Amino acid sequence: MISLRQTRLRTAIVIAATTAGVSVLVGVVWAFLAPAEHLLVVSEGRGVALTGESLHQFDASAVFIWLALIVGVLSAVAAWLARLSRGPYALGGLIVGSAAGAGLMALVGSGVTNLRFPTADNPAVGEIIARAPNIGTLLVLLFQPLAACVVTLVLAVLNPYDDLGVGDHPESGDPESGDPATEAEQADDEVQPKLP
């Protein structure tokens, strides 16, 4: 028989693997959305960015950040829907999957952009070439796990139950459940006389 701990551990592994897998697919999407920077070759091995093209370095990083935030938020909500595994196991799987996923998203995305915009061998002076976009800085890898953690924290804070809703909680007031709100409502009913 599978224990609750084993179930939670398996769910955490599924959460981590799914988050990383979705991140790989989003890395491919980023590779097609990120704009290339166009350079004018002014001498051998040297190019100058065309007017406005240097902004595409920021654009590529910004697109990556937005996609990472979307994946982080959606993966946190999806992990929260696994009600029986809410808690440290699910959060651990989510953090590991988001961190690994952000790295895989950058690697796969960079690989696809290098295929889309191959490096030109010995371009002629005056030729315009496209440089493959990149993520710019490794700090962008923090956005996906950070978004996942913040969304999970907000969902946990908004949850009315101490056990995060893992256990069975009756929707209607059942006196046998020991629900404090139900007991308080019953006490109010006893104190106030009912009108005929």
Side-chain angles (χ1 to χ4, degrees), residues 84-96:
L84 293 178
S85 298
R86 290 178 186 167
Y89 287 100
L91 181 61
L94 183 62
I95 291 171
V96 168

Side-chain angles (χ1 to χ4, degrees), residues 39-48 120-125 129:
L39 305 171
L40 174 66
V41 179
V42 292
S43 65
E44 187 177 336
R46 190 161 167 249
V48 176
D121 294 331
N122 299 324
V125 174
I129 61 170

Side-chain angles (χ1 to χ4, degrees), residues 19-20 23-24 64 68 71 96-108 135 140-145:
T19 303
S23 298
V24 167
F64 186 91
V71 173
V96 168
S98 294
L104 289 171
M105 189 163 113
L107 284 174
V108 170
I135 60 171
V140 299
L141 301 180
L142 297 176
F143 284 88
Q144 183 176 338

